[in-house]
Amino acid sequence: MKNQIYRVYEAIKLDPLASQQALADRLGMSRESVAGHIMQLTRQGYILGKGYLLAEQNTYVVIGGANVDINGHSSAVLTTHDSNPGTISQSPGGVGRNIAENLARLGEHVHLIASIGLDQRGNWLIEQTRASGVETHNILRHDTLPTGTYLAINNDSGQLQAAIADMRIIDTLDAQKLSSKQALLQSAYSIIIDANLSSDTIEWLARQSLSAQLVADAVSTAKAPRLRPILAKLTLLKVNQDEARAILDSNETDPNKLAKALLDAGVDEVLLSLGSQGVLFTSAEHSQQKICYPTVPVSDTGAGDALLAGYLSACQQNKSLDDSLSFALACAAMTLESAHANYPELTVQNVTQWIEKL
């Protein structure tokens, strides 16, 4: 920023509610000059909106699914086509929302952009998300469609057996609605999207001139191909092997070859989940595989979301690649041992202590 614009920016930081005339008097400028500098700061993403909400460094903006998870956990060997004894719980969910919550619990500054119904379930979901530390004032409310719901059935080992996802509402998160969030997108350090978004919305985001890193989670084999047109825009792609094959339209079984093919398609870095075998990180400069920590899984819902959030948080902590992967796997392991999609005690200190105890 040039000197006068910088002075205006610093004055707003000291008094965000000051009028343009008050700022002008304080700085010895005309009100018209101050107004022009504020307009320029807004266009550049340093000011996010009314009241001079200022952009912050290292801000994550997560755009994607937010829904209520209803989890059924069988207490004995699951019998199909029959009623099974067990427990049922409700918790906040959605890939994008889960990633946002995990990042916030790990101390990162996170805004969530999602579409949520104007209903009681939606109110509860926003309250729960806000309580975890996520900025929720950019969430969009829909007055006709219900809040998204994810119904999961897990066996007695905590493994997902079947699920139904009512995610119709996410298709309303389109380019027109996201255009109203341009100032926030312009100010972001990193924008994280999940493949629950429609293909049109994903491609619209990729066409925007944004300075932020673009990170994507492939979500599922059915939705992962939506990311094909934007692979060359991605700083980081988190996938499992089935999702990678779906994106590449390939039958390849070698994880290293899958990751290499994604790099060849334009992705800068690939975080490839290998399930019980751990994770493989690949970039043009580095390739490293790391095995999982031993766990007693309760539910595998949300473990992949914790893996991605943990890796991003570790990078912010300036950890080495090896330590970053260890931290990410620990976040996933702690989530696996939780009954919910997000481990409620996920903090940098707790994850670090968890690793040290092994």
Side-chain angles (χ1 to χ4, degrees):
M1 290 180 282
K2 294 181 179 179
N3 185 48
Q4 282 198 329
I5 300 177
Y6 179 77
R7 290 178 62 211
V8 171
Y9 179 75
E10 288 298 310
I12 291 172
K13 283 174 66 177
L14 292 173
D15 188 1
L17 299 179
S19 67
Q20 291 181 358
Q21 187 60 60
L23 291 170
D25 293 343
R26 187 176 305 158
L27 297 169
M29 300 180 185
S30 69
R31 191 199 64 78
E32 291 76 14
S33 294
V34 169
H37 294 323
I38 288 173
M39 186 177 298
Q40 189 169 347
L41 286 165
T42 301
R43 284 199 301 264
Q44 293 175 350
Y46 291 102
I47 294 176
L48 303 184
K50 293 180 179 179
Y52 305 137
L53 174 63
L54 300 177
E56 298 185 31
Q57 289 186 332
N58 299 336
T59 297
Y60 289 90
V61 176
V62 182
I63 311 172
N67 50 263
V68 173
D69 281 349
I70 299 175
N71 287 288
H73 188 122
S74 176
S75 58
V77 176
L78 190 72
T79 303
T80 59
H81 311 296
D82 200 358
S83 176
N84 291 265
T87 58
I88 297 174
S89 62
Q90 176 176 296
S91 60
V95 172
R97 199 217 65 86
N98 287 347
I99 294 169
E101 175 172 336
N102 286 321
L103 282 169
R105 291 192 181 280
L106 291 168
E108 305 300 336
H109 185 210
V110 192
H111 290 263
L112 176 64
I113 301 177
S115 188
I116 291 178
L118 197 61
D119 49 26
Q120 277 192 321
R121 189 171 286 173
N123 293 340
W124 178 83
L125 184 59
I126 290 174
E127 288 173 7
Q128 295 293 309
T129 303
R130 184 185 299 119
S132 72
V134 177
E135 299 277 1
T136 59
H137 55 272
N138 286 291
I139 286 176
L140 302 164
R141 306 299 297 270
H142 200 284
D143 58 0
T144 58
L145 288 174
T147 296
T149 304
Y150 177 76
L151 175 63
I153 303 297
N154 299 306
N155 65 16
D156 56 322
S157 298
Q159 296 173 320
L160 181 68
Q161 300 300 294
I164 297 175
D166 180 357
M167 299 286 286
R168 292 170 292 162
I169 195 169
I170 200 169
D171 290 333
T172 67
L173 194 58
D174 56 19
Q176 181 179 359
K177 289 187 173 62
L178 288 179
S179 294
S180 68
K181 307 297 181 183
Q182 276 281 11
L184 177 62
L185 298 177
Q186 290 289 346
S187 71
Y189 160 74
S190 180
I191 296 172
I192 304 169
I193 65 172
D194 73 40
N196 282 307
L197 297 173
S198 70
S199 297
D200 288 345
T201 301
I202 290 172
E203 292 180 35
W204 178 85
L205 280 166
R207 289 196 299 270
Q208 304 311 297
S209 298
L210 303 172
S211 60
Q213 299 175 354
L214 187 58
V215 177
D217 189 300
V219 175
S220 69
T221 55
K223 297 175 180 178
R226 297 177 184 178
L227 299 175
R228 281 179 194 152
I230 69 161
L231 293 178
K233 293 276 189 175
L234 294 180
T235 302
L236 175 67
L237 171 64
K238 181 259 170 184
V239 288
N240 64 27
Q241 294 179 81
D242 288 336
E243 292 160 356
R245 282 188 280 268
I247 292 172
L248 297 166
D249 193 19
S250 167
N251 294 318
E252 181 59 62
T253 58
D254 184 335
N256 289 283
K257 291 181 179 178
L258 283 172
K260 177 64 164 56
L262 290 168
L263 293 184
D264 291 343
V267 180
D268 289 341
E269 299 177 348
V270 176
L271 194 65
L272 181 61
S273 172
L274 305 176
S276 61
Q277 301 303 307
V279 66
L280 171 67
F281 173 88
T282 305
S283 68
E285 296 81 21
H286 305 284
S287 182
Q288 182 171 345
Q289 184 173 335
K290 198 92 173 170
I291 63 171
C292 288
Y293 293 104
T295 58
V296 180
V298 174
S299 170
D300 57 7
T301 301
D305 308 331
L307 180 80
L308 176 56
Y311 176 76
L312 293 171
S313 175
C315 291
Q316 283 298 315
Q317 298 170 54
N318 295 315
K319 292 181 179 291
S320 67
L321 175 58
D322 185 70
D323 287 343
S324 293
L325 295 178
S326 294
F327 189 88
L329 285 168
C331 290
M334 295 168 78
T335 304
L336 278 170
E337 294 185 330
S338 169
H340 304 295
N342 296 90
Y343 179 56
E345 303 300 325
L346 193 75
T347 65
V348 171
Q349 181 179 4
N350 287 346
V351 176
T352 302
Q353 290 175 349
W354 190 91
I355 294 172
E356 291 173 349
K357 289 178 181 178
L358 295 177

